[in-house]
Amino acid sequence: MKNLFFLFLAIWAIAALTVATESDAKNFISPSIMNTGDELRHLHRTTRATTASTQKALNQLISSEYVSFERKFKAYKIVEIAARESTLHEEQFKGDAHAARAHALMWHITRNDAHKQKSAEIIKAWASTFEDFKVVKGYKPQMYLESAWILPIWISALDMIQIDLTDWTSADEREFRRFIKKLHSYAKEAHRDNNWGTSAMLAEMSLAVYLKNETLYEQQVQNFTYYLKTLSNKDGSLNADYLSDPWHPQYTIIGLIQTAEIASNQGDILFDVIIDDESMPRLEAILLHFKSLFLGEIDNPKGLKKGNYKGAHNNKQSYQIALSYYGKQKSNEAWTNSFQDNWNPSKTSPLFMMWDRVTHSQAVIDGD
């Protein structure tokens, strides 16, 4: 009888612990990979936008090859890639991912179902076809970085339309999860103390939210503070890539911004992370410093090997996300407006999620 009592007590304790663990589990928000459901529902407002920057960004999206129904997509089983240059396979893979996401955005803007169906068609084709990468030239770990860059784009594309896809089957979901887990098996190997690491963090944050994997999510929240502290200084300058050229440091910044935005949609405000009791969030300090470089208010850092920081932000994305967040504080209006007014993105780098001038304009994020 005594043994039975202790057995019952042990079972009760395990059950109580299990219940407590489940009740404390994170309540993931979906969709949320770059935009919440409310923000997506507001995207149609961009067609009535009066601000020149938002209208220009919308026109760039509408006129982009990515949303053309004439653009051909092609899924490969093996994607051949090369370090420090682009192959035809790689360009197709990236282009199709951006096309799937751009059509998803256009569906929310126009409510033309043809855009939603085109996005789903591209996603299904790649998810059911892709098997692996093959590095045909150069550094083999390049596949780690390529996977880290592309994974959030595919996930975000489906995240925006999945709830409204009436023909998305359990088989489709299995194929898609196989696809993104294969990409993740490489992307997670990209962690390094430079722009590779922040790209890997963004990829893993996107996957964690999509799969509702709390452990993986919390790891990326911790990685955010680690990379923020390791890769930057109090004055906003960076340690890795800072003197190599003006674009690799921006990959670090973009990875930080997009990761922070996904986390903020889950209720974790990484934009406000303070390092060592500093007077302002470190990410804000980084943006202030680079704003001064981009606008020519300060000279290029001594020892810059190539390129020029002035104007180097004009073919990069994600700044609207951060400017919209920090600009809500009256004390930040001057520098965020100055940055935004002098940032003129055109054909944006295809390495990260695009179109934040549309998705994070005030017309979208402010709501009704």
Side-chain angles (χ1 to χ4, degrees), residues 68-120:
S68 170
F69 289 108
E70 302 302 315
R71 181 188 179 278
K72 304 296 183 184
F73 68 89
K74 182 177 182 180
Y76 293 97
K77 285 186 177 181
I78 305 297
V79 174
E80 297 181 351
I81 58 176
R84 299 188 180 279
E85 62 182 74
S86 292
T87 67
L88 292 177
H89 281 203
E90 179 186 336
E91 291 175 1
Q92 187 76 55
F93 192 32
K94 288 178 181 175
D96 288 354
H98 281 297
R101 188 169 183 271
H103 277 293
L105 282 172
M106 285 298 294
W107 176 67
H108 283 284
I109 292 169
T110 67
R111 287 296 167 172
N112 178 352
D113 281 349
H115 284 295
K116 179 178 63 176
Q117 295 306 320
K118 176 59 72 172
S119 178

Side-chain angles (χ1 to χ4, degrees), residues 218-232:
E218 293 299 336
Q219 287 172 352
Q220 305 325 304
V221 170
Q222 294 173 19
N223 277 337
F224 183 89
T225 299
Y226 170 78
Y227 284 128
L228 197 63
K229 185 173 183 177
T230 303
L231 300 182
S232 67

Side-chain angles (χ1 to χ4, degrees), residues 44-312:
H44 70 278
R45 294 177 178 177
T46 59
T47 60
R48 304 194 303 271
T50 57
T51 60
S53 64
T54 302
Q55 192 61 54
K56 177 183 176 182
L58 181 62
N59 290 339
Q60 287 173 348
L61 172 60
I62 292 172
S63 63
S64 167
E65 64 170 332
Y66 295 125
V67 298
S68 170
F69 289 108
E70 302 302 315
R71 181 188 179 278
K72 304 296 183 184
F73 68 89
K74 182 177 182 180
Y76 293 97
K77 285 186 177 181
I78 305 297
V79 174
E80 297 181 351
I81 58 176
R84 299 188 180 279
E85 62 182 74
S86 292
T87 67
L88 292 177
H89 281 203
E90 179 186 336
E91 291 175 1
Q92 187 76 55
F93 192 32
K94 288 178 181 175
D96 288 354
H98 281 297
R101 188 169 183 271
H103 277 293
L105 282 172
M106 285 298 294
W107 176 67
H108 283 284
I109 292 169
T110 67
R111 287 296 167 172
N112 178 352
D113 281 349
H115 284 295
K116 179 178 63 176
Q117 295 306 320
K118 176 59 72 172
S119 178
E121 185 181 0
I122 297 170
I123 293 169
K124 288 179 181 180
W126 274 98
S128 62
T129 303
F130 177 82
E131 291 182 359
D132 212 341
F133 288 115
K134 179 181 179 181
V135 179
V136 295
K137 182 180 178 181
Y139 191 50
K140 187 174 181 179
Q142 182 70 21
M143 69 174 68
Y144 304 159
L145 184 59
E146 297 290 344
S147 297
W149 280 336
I150 203 73
L151 182 55
I153 302 169
W154 284 114
I155 294 176
S156 178
L158 182 59
D159 183 61
M160 285 191 283
I161 62 173
Q162 187 174 22
I163 194 173
D164 296 290
L165 285 177
T166 57
D167 58 347
W168 185 258
T169 67
S170 57
D172 292 328
E173 181 65 18
R174 283 194 301 273
E175 289 286 2
F176 185 73
R177 290 191 176 218
R178 179 201 61 81
F179 175 50
I180 60 177
K181 286 179 179 178
K182 180 64 177 180
L183 291 175
H184 178 241
S185 71
Y186 294 131
K188 68 182 181 181
E189 302 298 330
H191 283 283
R192 290 158 175 72
D193 288 348
N194 58 15
N195 70 89
W196 283 47
T198 55
S199 296
M201 172 183 65
L202 172 60
E204 293 206 278
M205 175 65 83
S206 302
L207 184 78
V209 171
Y210 184 81
L211 297 181
K212 297 179 169 48
N213 184 327
E214 185 173 5
T215 299
L216 185 60
Y217 175 86
E218 293 299 336
Q219 287 172 352
Q220 305 325 304
V221 170
Q222 294 173 19
N223 277 337
F224 183 89
T225 299
Y226 170 78
Y227 284 128
L228 197 63
K229 185 173 183 177
T230 303
L231 300 182
S232 67
N233 304 301
K234 183 178 180 180
D235 65 356
S237 61
L238 295 187
N239 295 318
D241 306 316
Y242 186 57
L243 299 180
S244 62
D245 53 60
W247 49 92
H248 282 93
Q250 291 188 77
Y251 299 164
T252 295
I253 296 170
I254 293 168
L256 289 167
I257 291 173
Q258 293 194 354
T259 298
E261 179 63 5
I262 295 171
S264 73
N265 291 336
Q266 304 304 320
D268 294 304
I269 311 303
L270 302 185
F271 289 106
D272 289 342
V273 170
I274 299 285
I275 303 296
D276 299 331
D277 299 323
E278 293 171 3
S279 60
M280 71 170 62
R282 180 63 70 85
L283 183 54
E284 182 181 351
I286 293 171
L287 289 165
L288 271 166
H289 179 78
F290 277 83
K291 183 268 297 187
S292 295
L293 285 172
F294 295 149
L295 303 189
E297 298 169 351
I298 60 176
D299 294 334
N300 285 324
K302 188 176 181 179
L304 181 65
K305 295 177 182 177
K306 57 183 174 181
N308 184 359
Y309 272 103
K310 186 175 181 179

